[in-house]
């Protein structure tokens, strides 16, 4: 079994000040990672707190796996609200949540926090699919927030959401089984050469 790990890449003059771990699992065998908190100083001396995680996958027992994920999300919202209460207003939560946005297991984010989904930002751009399912089940439906295939998310505190000027989703390193669906990099020629099964969700130019 391969272990899924998480990491970050910082540009020049961005400084990683601290890394903290928050346990968001109630059982030792929960299929999920700890919540990793990265404290980063930007070139303008602003601070950003990045919370990164990988949540419970859906299993054959949907109710059980959804319940575990909901508990994980609830604990993440507690960490987020604690940061905000300390005046740490520049917060990002990103990771693989393994559920679509409308799943009840993710509801604590909308009910218990003021977090904003990056896909709702006016600058958010994504390459539209060209496949037969392009009208509804396309990954391009990210922009409308009705994508049943979405598993990867980025949420921002209002302070960061309002400062952000560019954002989007890049799937060019993902191999598309039913061609043509979206454009890929020339180096991605089959399943074995794709970078990941997950798209790159990105946002920037806010600090």
């Amino acid at each position: 079994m391969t272990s899924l790990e998480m990491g970050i890449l910082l540009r020049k003059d961005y400084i990683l000040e601290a890394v903290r771990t928050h346990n968001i699992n109630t059982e030792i065998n929960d299929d999920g990672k700890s919540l990793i908190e990265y404290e980063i100083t930007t070139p303008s001396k602003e601070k950003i707190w990045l919370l990164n995680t990988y949540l419970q996958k859906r299993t054959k027992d949907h109710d059980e796996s959804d319940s575990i994920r909901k508990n994980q999300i609830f604990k993440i919202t507690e960490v987020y609200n604690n940061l905000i209460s300390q005046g740490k207003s520049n917060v990002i939560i990103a990771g693989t949540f393994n559920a679509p946005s409308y799943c009840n297991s993710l509801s604590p984010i909308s009910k218990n926090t003021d977090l904003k989904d990056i896909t709702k930002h006016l600058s958010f751009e994504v390459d539209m699919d060209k496949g037969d399912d392009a009208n509804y089940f396309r990954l391009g439906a990210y922009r409308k927030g009705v994508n049943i295939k979405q598993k990867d998310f980025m949420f921002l505190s209002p302070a960061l959401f309002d400062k952000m000027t560019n954002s989007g989703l890049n799937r060019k390193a993902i191999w598309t089984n039913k061609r043509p669906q979206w454009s890929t990099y020339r180096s991605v020629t089959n399943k074995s050469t794709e970078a990941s099964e997950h798209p790159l969700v990105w946002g920037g130019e806010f600090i």
Side-chain angles (χ1 to χ4, degrees), residues 6 35 50 56 91 108 111 161 171 176 178 187 199 204 207:
M6 297 171 286
L35 178 69
L50 168 63
Q56 169 73 40
V91 183
K111 291 181 178 178
F161 190 87
R171 291 168 294 162
T176 169
K178 297 178 181 178
S187 58
I207 291 183

Side-chain angles (χ1 to χ4, degrees), residues 53-67:
T53 192
Y54 178 93
L55 300 182
Q56 169 73 40
K57 285 183 179 179
R58 172 161 279 198
T59 63
K60 290 182 179 179
D61 189 337
H62 291 182
D63 290 340
E64 180 184 30
S65 56
D66 286 357
S67 175

